[in-house]
Amino acid sequence: MIAAGGVERLYVHSPDRLGRKDAYQVLLMDEFQRAGVEVIFLNRELGRSPEEELLLQVQGMVAEYERAKILERSRRGKRPAAHAGGVRVLCGAPYGYHYISKALGGGVARFDIVEHEARVVRQVFTWVGQERVSIGEVCRRLQRAGEPRREGKTAWERSVVWGMLKNPAYQGTAGFGKTRVGALKRPLRAQGGRSLQPRQPHALEEVPREEWILVPVPAIIEVELYDLVQEQLAENRRRARQGQRGAGY
């Protein structure tokens, strides 16, 4: 909107609300001023003297430092909580569970089973683990049955079903620390109409299962059924790759 000339004045609470990185803040302020937009910080008046410009940059660097310290303290506090079995360190309750906060759970956060969602989870694992059907067939069966997802949609994507089948929480142990931030791998070409340059300068890497921190949660399926599903997913992956390369005789 600013580039199109649709904004004359921009109100910001404070410099750290404009950007948590000093480089972003300097770039935005430069672009706003070139577009003729008046930027007003509500916590203080922005002047034009060199001293006031220096103070603005210092506040931006302090905000970037605070952001890094907040992330560090959050990671440092979550690992002991995960080792102690606290579910509050997990990234929300998956399909089939409802998260009960510490305040509502009598001082202990927990996962409660949502029975109508758990029934769908058991059915999906049974189809794949015992009937050996593909993920695409699971999606078609769920759509024919009209089973809704948590957000109310009745369309089931393969990625949603795959993520459900790979989630160890349904066998009674949720995994903490399954991914970590790693170096960005440069793609050979842009995918799906996206830009070749990603927005984030890093990528998420999968952590080996033996390095996970297991947090106990109520089980929806048996461990044996979960293991059968993992074997079937590996078999489906081998068959898909063989079909792409062509079978060797």
Side-chain angles (χ1 to χ4, degrees):
M1 291 179 61
I2 289 177
V7 177
E8 296 180 357
R9 185 179 295 109
L10 177 65
Y11 292 94
V12 187
H13 178 269
S14 57
D16 62 333
R17 296 296 88 196
L18 179 61
R20 280 289 193 176
K21 280 185 173 293
D22 178 60
Y24 296 164
Q25 178 180 298
V26 173
L27 179 62
L28 288 174
M29 290 296 299
D30 181 65
E31 292 184 349
F32 293 165
Q33 292 175 0
R34 283 188 295 172
V37 176
E38 182 183 3
V39 180
I40 298 178
F41 292 103
L42 299 181
N43 67 333
R44 69 177 187 87
E45 183 180 356
L46 179 63
R48 292 292 182 267
S49 66
E51 291 79 8
E52 291 173 329
E53 292 289 342
L54 176 61
L55 178 59
L56 176 62
Q57 296 178 12
V58 169
Q59 287 182 337
M61 290 186 289
V62 171
E64 184 174 353
Y65 171 76
E66 288 179 348
R67 174 178 177 269
K69 295 300 292 184
I70 289 173
L71 292 176
E72 180 186 353
R73 295 189 191 104
S74 177
R75 287 192 295 263
R76 192 167 60 239
K78 282 183 176 181
R79 293 191 69 84
H83 281 293
V87 299
R88 60 186 179 87
V89 301
L90 303 176
C91 299
Y95 183 85
Y97 295 100
H98 176 64
Y99 175 73
I100 303 299
S101 65
K102 186 176 180 180
L104 299 177
V108 179
R110 68 178 189 272
F111 281 179
D112 282 353
I113 295 179
V114 181
E115 192 51 45
H116 68 276
E117 295 182 356
R119 175 182 54 83
V120 177
V121 173
R122 297 188 189 100
Q123 185 65 76
V124 169
F125 274 86
T126 301
W127 284 339
V128 177
Q130 297 181 359
E131 300 182 21
R132 304 291 182 175
V133 303
S134 64
I135 293 182
E137 177 61 22
V138 171
C139 295
R140 288 188 289 269
R141 291 185 181 185
L142 291 174
Q143 291 175 5
R144 286 196 299 265
E147 296 289 355
R149 292 162 53 182
R150 176 166 294 176
E151 58 270 19
K153 298 180 181 178
T154 56
W156 291 79
E157 291 83 9
R158 295 171 183 263
S159 60
V160 175
V161 176
W162 184 86
M164 178 189 298
L165 296 172
K166 295 292 291 184
N167 195 334
Y170 297 119
Q171 65 171 345
T173 52
F176 173 77
K178 295 186 291 185
T179 59
R180 61 189 170 200
V181 177
L184 180 64
K185 298 179 180 179
R186 183 71 60 183
L188 298 178
R189 61 182 182 275
Q191 298 179 354
R194 301 177 182 177
S195 174
L196 185 61
Q197 177 64 35
R199 298 186 63 180
Q200 299 293 337
H202 54 76
L204 291 180
E205 298 178 351
E206 293 187 359
V207 176
R209 186 179 179 86
E210 54 271 15
E211 298 181 16
W212 295 0
I213 301 176
L214 299 180
V215 180
V217 296
I220 294 180
I221 62 171
E222 296 79 12
V223 177
E224 294 77 12
L225 180 58
Y226 180 83
D227 293 337
L228 286 175
V229 169
Q230 305 314 306
E231 294 176 2
Q232 184 61 32
L233 293 178
E235 178 65 21
N236 292 346
R237 189 179 301 111
R238 285 193 296 267
R239 290 181 179 181
R241 291 176 178 176
Q242 184 182 27
Q244 292 174 0
R245 295 194 304 264
Y249 298 93

